[in-house]
Amino acid sequence: MKKLNDLYSQITPKTSPEELSARIMNTPELKKSPKRKGFRPALALSAAAIAVSSLVVTAGAVNGWDYGAVFESIFGEKAYNLQGNIVSPATITKNKSENLDISLSAIAADKHSVMAVLDIKGKNGYELFNADDENNFFNNFRVFMSVNPKDDDGIYSSSNSVHEIERGENSLRLCIRMDTHGDIKGKRFDIALSDDNRSKSEWKANFKADYTATDTVYDIDAEITIPVSFGNTEFYQSDKNAIVVDGDPERGEIVIENIEETEIPDNFIYGVDIPVEYATANIDEIGISPISVFISGDFTDSFMGEVGNLDNICVIDKNGKRIGINCSSTSGLEVLNPETNTYESISSFALIEPVNPEDIAALVIGDTTIELK
Amino acid sequence: MPKKTKGLIKINTVEFTEYVTKFQPNIFRLAYSYVKNTADAEDITQEVFLRLYRSSETFISDENAKAWLIKVTINTSKNYLLSFYRKHKVALTEDIALNDEKDYALLEALNRLNKNYRVVIYLHYYEGYPVSEIASMLGISENNVKQRLKRGRDKLRTYLTD
């Protein structure tokens, strides 16, 4: 491997260390952020906090949750796709906020994702949407959800995304979503709301992903073929819709078609013939649940550059309507497959509204449409 | 793993500059192993050292610091790839000046590899990290690292004899 070492030694940055150091230390926007100053209502909370412990949320009809009212208000009729995914009620373990009324209104989950709805109201004169950025809710509070450390055996790397669902005069409905790469069923979760400048949370709850739904992830095993390098300009322009692999999803096959027209990239080598290569990869799993799309690492590693921007993912229903535009993603993590005892890479993409996996006709990833027949 | 001291800025400007001088090329090469082009690798390198500058990490040794920087580079590169980079692209090598014509063929072959193979090959053969440490850095099993090394070598051999 001496040749490799020689080669790597020749790959050097153009920027000198001195230049890079100076750039980081001297450029104002790259300097350490100054501490913000000024009055912050959240910091003025009295020590006489309202202590509420072990308060089980019991309102609602299904499994302790007012599922219908909450998720229907968010997703309309599509909320029915979440049926059966309601987790057990949560326990509020801490509620010390004098400025906020916080209630956990609903939780739903699938194999890898959890959505929780929080209703927040300002009180005691605290204005959630104070025009002064220093004082409003969004600059002072953070919401975070995680797998309880006792249940986290190392594979629950995750991402959080928070979406504002509804805004009242001094109230707010947030949907906090967490995507993980481990099967979360039966795991305990913590959800906390804390002052940005405090290490301790002001409000905290925990719950168990103890939903009764059957496996809602729709798995597809498939083998796909896709071009991994393009020929000259002529090929690039003309070879659209060329990749068709017939298949029957019910038998674990898949159809790929419609490599969409894309602008010729700036750095494309004009007039140079590059042999066109096609590569085949197994999609170990494309999973579609009511709130997520899962794509195996085989696909993302091999074809991320070829299918286009992986952030552009959506699904198309049988009527041709685009639904479920993704709102966040988690990728590059390795998940232990208990059947083979090997680690596999999976990416998950959050859908901003629930879908019925049975109604999905196609999955669009970047420039590529994968039709599910 | 580096010991973290909350609330203290342990790295002064002299130490920071020393770390940049010592490790910038390594960080750049690792980032390049992910993104396959020098411009993006430069951006990632800057981002990694910016995090170091802003962090309150303190290191007991250079190796300790290097391990921290490599871990941050891995995460930053992964995020970078996911965020916006993905466009149709033909890998070009013209922005790297190499000594030998054969080196261009080797670089091209390396860049044809799946990034998972490329990264472990870089960490093992150039940085000299043992399989166990690479497994820890990448958050995967040792067997997986060994498998990637073997498959990467095999594929590299195939590409070079094409």
Side-chain angles (χ1 to χ4, degrees):
Chain A
M1 287 292 166
K2 183 178 175 299
K3 279 185 73 64
L4 262 181
N5 284 348
D6 291 344
L7 174 69
Y8 281 126
S9 300
Q10 296 173 63
I11 301 174
T12 52
K14 287 178 181 138
T15 314
S16 71
E18 295 75 21
E19 204 181 329
L20 180 60
S21 302
R23 190 186 298 164
I24 290 173
M25 291 189 292
N26 297 331
T27 309
E29 62 266 30
L30 296 182
K31 283 183 173 178
K32 295 170 197 292
S33 305
K35 291 274 181 196
R36 286 186 294 184
K37 291 176 182 175
F39 174 72
R40 309 183 104 191
L43 294 174
L45 291 175
S46 151
I50 305 165
V52 180
S53 62
S54 300
L55 208 170
V56 177
V57 178
T58 53
V62 183
N63 220 2
W65 296 103
D66 193 354
Y67 153 77
V70 175
F71 282 114
E72 263 186 58
S73 74
I74 300 172
F75 300 122
E77 62 182 21
K78 288 175 180 171
Y80 81 92
N81 292 331
L82 293 172
Q83 263 173 349
N85 291 52
I86 313 303
V87 303
S88 61
T91 302
I92 311 295
T93 55
K94 185 188 278 186
N95 190 354
K96 288 187 170 183
S97 178
E98 279 204 334
N99 288 346
L100 303 174
D101 266 338
I102 303 155
S103 57
L104 188 49
S105 307
I107 303 176
D110 64 10
K111 265 174 101 172
H112 298 274
S113 305
V114 181
M115 290 196 304
V117 179
L118 274 185
D119 281 303
I120 297 163
K121 286 180 185 167
K123 65 177 181 180
N124 297 335
Y126 180 72
E127 295 173 26
L128 292 177
F129 314 114
N130 195 312
D132 176 3
D133 281 349
E134 286 278 304
N135 294 327
N136 71 33
F137 174 82
F138 295 102
N139 279 335
N140 282 280
F141 292 96
R142 295 288 178 269
V143 185
F144 189 73
M145 185 150 56
S146 60
V147 176
N148 187 290
K150 288 178 184 167
D151 281 359
D152 190 344
D153 47 13
I155 64 168
Y156 289 95
S157 300
S158 63
S159 66
N160 270 214
S161 55
V162 181
H163 307 279
E164 183 180 331
I165 302 295
E166 212 172 284
R167 187 182 281 216
E169 193 178 329
N170 195 27
S171 65
L172 190 61
R173 171 166 276 184
L174 299 176
C175 184
I176 299 98
R177 181 181 169 120
M178 176 181 166
D179 298 290
T180 81
H181 287 278
D183 188 341
I184 59 177
K185 189 167 181 176
K187 300 290 178 186
R188 286 167 295 176
F189 284 76
D190 296 321
I191 179 167
L193 187 146
S194 61
D195 184 304
D196 198 17
N197 277 354
R198 292 181 173 201
S199 56
K200 289 181 181 175
S201 59
E202 297 203 331
W203 178 91
K204 203 169 180 181
N206 60 51
F207 59 89
K208 191 174 181 183
D210 200 19
Y211 51 93
T212 53
T214 51
D215 187 349
T216 55
V217 175
Y218 185 65
D219 295 338
I220 301 164
D221 292 321
E223 189 172 85
I224 63 161
T225 305
I226 206 163
V228 293
S229 70
F230 296 88
N232 59 26
T233 313
E234 209 177 294
F235 170 81
Y236 199 94
Q237 287 175 321
S238 63
D239 195 58
K240 290 141 201 158
N241 308 320
I243 312 307
V244 178
V245 181
D246 290 323
D248 178 359
E250 285 184 12
R251 297 202 313 269
E253 296 169 342
I254 201 167
V255 176
I256 300 267
E257 60 180 16
N258 189 23
I259 306 296
E260 290 182 358
E261 185 172 352
T262 310
E263 283 184 14
I264 298 167
D266 291 336
N267 62 351
F268 193 78
I269 314 170
Y270 288 90
V272 176
D273 282 324
I274 300 171
V276 179
E277 288 183 18
Y278 292 87
T280 304
N282 292 315
I283 298 183
D284 296 316
E285 184 182 74
I286 286 184
I288 300 174
S289 86
I291 55 175
S292 301
V293 171
F294 306 99
I295 300 176
S296 78
D298 274 359
F299 185 88
T300 53
D301 288 341
S302 303
F303 300 122
M304 205 151 72
E306 280 66 42
V307 298
N309 189 346
L310 261 185
D311 285 342
N312 294 333
I313 284 193
C314 71
V315 292
I316 295 177
D317 71 11
K318 287 176 178 168
N319 298 319
K321 189 183 168 196
R322 275 180 176 239
I323 49 175
I325 308 297
N326 77 292
C327 57
S328 69
S329 57
T330 312
S331 77
L333 295 167
E334 306 282 329
V335 178
L336 183 66
N337 181 335
E339 288 176 12
T340 59
N341 204 31
T342 56
Y343 281 81
E344 293 170 5
S345 173
I346 286 182
S347 297
S348 78
F349 299 87
L351 298 169
I352 205 162
E353 55 185 327
V355 299
N356 183 348
E358 301 292 333
D359 289 339
I360 303 303
L363 173 66
V364 178
I365 308 172
D367 305 327
T368 303
T369 300
I370 299 171
E371 192 171 326
L372 313 176
K373 282 188 177 173
Chain B
M1 292 299 290
K3 190 180 170 187
K4 195 163 184 172
T5 310
K6 278 189 177 174
L8 296 175
I9 305 301
K10 281 291 179 186
I11 296 174
N12 61 37
T13 52
V14 176
E15 285 172 323
F16 175 71
T17 308
E18 282 175 8
Y19 283 136
V20 176
T21 306
K22 277 179 192 160
F23 301 124
Q24 183 204 17
N26 307 71
I27 297 310
F28 175 81
R29 285 171 197 133
L30 178 56
Y32 181 85
S33 296
Y34 275 96
V35 298
K36 297 196 289 187
N37 78 82
T38 55
D40 290 340
E42 294 257 16
D43 284 349
I44 291 168
T45 305
Q46 175 168 306
E47 172 69 23
V48 169
F49 282 105
L50 180 62
R51 287 191 191 187
L52 174 68
Y53 187 61
R54 283 180 166 166
S55 81
S56 55
E57 297 292 340
T58 178
F59 305 107
I60 53 173
S61 67
D62 279 358
E63 276 311 303
N64 195 229
K66 188 176 170 186
W68 186 89
L69 286 166
I70 282 179
K71 188 76 187 167
V72 174
T73 308
I74 289 167
N75 291 334
T76 309
S77 300
K78 282 180 177 176
N79 288 339
Y80 199 88
L81 283 173
L82 192 68
S83 59
F84 65 91
Y85 175 71
R86 300 291 89 194
K87 302 235 174 186
H88 288 300
K89 231 170 193 182
V90 176
L92 298 176
T93 57
E94 88 289 358
D95 57 346
I96 296 177
L98 301 175
N99 298 331
D100 192 332
E101 200 58 36
K102 285 179 183 171
D103 287 338
Y104 284 102
L106 182 56
L107 182 61
E108 196 185 330
L110 262 178
N111 283 341
R112 282 175 70 186
L113 285 179
N114 180 303
K115 76 170 186 312
N116 285 344
Y117 302 147
R118 228 169 31 238
V119 169
V120 292
I121 282 176
Y122 172 76
L123 289 171
H124 187 66
Y125 290 111
Y126 187 76
E127 293 291 354
Y129 283 109
V131 167
S132 58
E133 275 190 59
I134 296 172
S136 168
M137 285 170 182
L138 297 174
I140 59 178
S141 69
E142 289 187 28
N143 280 339
N144 204 334
V145 175
K146 286 177 191 167
Q147 201 174 50
R148 288 183 188 188
L149 279 172
K150 183 184 179 310
R151 284 184 186 169
R153 279 196 310 263
D154 290 347
K155 279 180 181 288
L156 207 52
R157 196 173 295 121
T158 308
Y159 293 155
L160 288 169
T161 52
D162 272 353

